[in-house]
Amino acid sequence: MTETVDLAISDGVAHLTLTRPESANAFDLPTATAFAAAVDQIGRSTDVGAVVLSGAGRRFCAGGDVASFHAADDPQAYIRELADVLDGAMQRFAALPVATVVAVQGAAAGAGLGVMLGADVIVASRSTKFVTAYAGIGLTPDIGLSWLLPRAIGQVRALELLLTGRVLDGPTALDWGLVTELVDDDPLARAREIAATIAAGPSEALGEARRLVRTAWSISRSEAGDEEGRTIAERVGTDEAQGLIRAFVEPGR
């Protein structure tokens, strides 16, 4: 799509790649804008059953492009626009109607953690380092990290990472629930394998399942139950569900 973001759709899987390896795939405003456009294109597609998000090169994503902050004529206006554009993109990414898988290698730092946590399944190389990084430049979390991180690992651990700058290794990130799976070699290959499996399955139902889990954080238990009832009743009338139900009750036909 652009020099900083690439989108390719094949066999029901959207492959969304950050392509600024020379800058550790950090987000400046043009990159955030291109990323937002790619997410919107996926959202409009009718032939996508899963999404794979990755970063080219040695590191997944270093967060915001600090050099672009420093070079801006009005740093406050620039970083506010950058944060708003990227946060909007990540909220729409989280609201996609299909499952999302992210491949993480090298490092995920700052806003890169927020981008990573926007996905449903997180596959990381064992050698990956995870760090919030904001305090090192006197800044604070953005693109929803203060909301996402405590939900992934708990408030106490989230605050430790934000306040101390602790760098997590892969095994600790897995133990804490920050990532789904560790691999020794190529996380992108594994992420693509998972996405292909999802896309080949009942992707509409799986997309609705992810929506129910993601929205349950902001509603009551009774509201969650009501939304589950509404959704499952709606799903049972779909061609996808009817075909699978018939196969289940009439095996061999």
Side-chain angles (χ1 to χ4, degrees), residues 6-19 49-57 99-105 121-124 181 183 185-201:
D6 182 69
L7 174 63
I9 298 174
S10 60
D11 298 324
V13 178
H15 302 269
L16 178 56
T17 309
L18 305 176
T19 54
V51 179
V52 172
L53 171 61
S54 62
T100 55
V101 186
V102 63
V104 183
Q105 79 287 349
V121 180
I122 302 170
V123 181
E181 181 178 333
V183 296
D185 299 315
D186 185 1
L188 182 54
R190 176 60 178 149
R192 286 174 170 166
E193 179 183 356
I194 294 170
T197 299
I198 292 170

Side-chain angles (χ1 to χ4, degrees), residues 38-57:
V39 170
D40 291 342
Q41 183 175 337
I42 294 170
R44 292 191 297 270
S45 177
T46 58
D47 58 353
V48 170
V51 179
V52 172
L53 171 61
S54 62

Side-chain angles (χ1 to χ4, degrees), residues 11-14 45-51 95-100 120 194-212 231 235 238-241 244:
D11 298 324
V13 178
S45 177
T46 58
D47 58 353
V48 170
V51 179
L96 288 171
V98 294
T100 55
D120 303 319
I194 294 170
T197 299
I198 292 170
S203 59
E204 294 176 8
L206 297 176
E208 287 290 88
R210 78 184 288 270
R211 179 186 63 81
L212 289 169
T231 302
R235 290 299 313 159
T238 65
D239 292 341
E240 181 183 76
L244 291 170

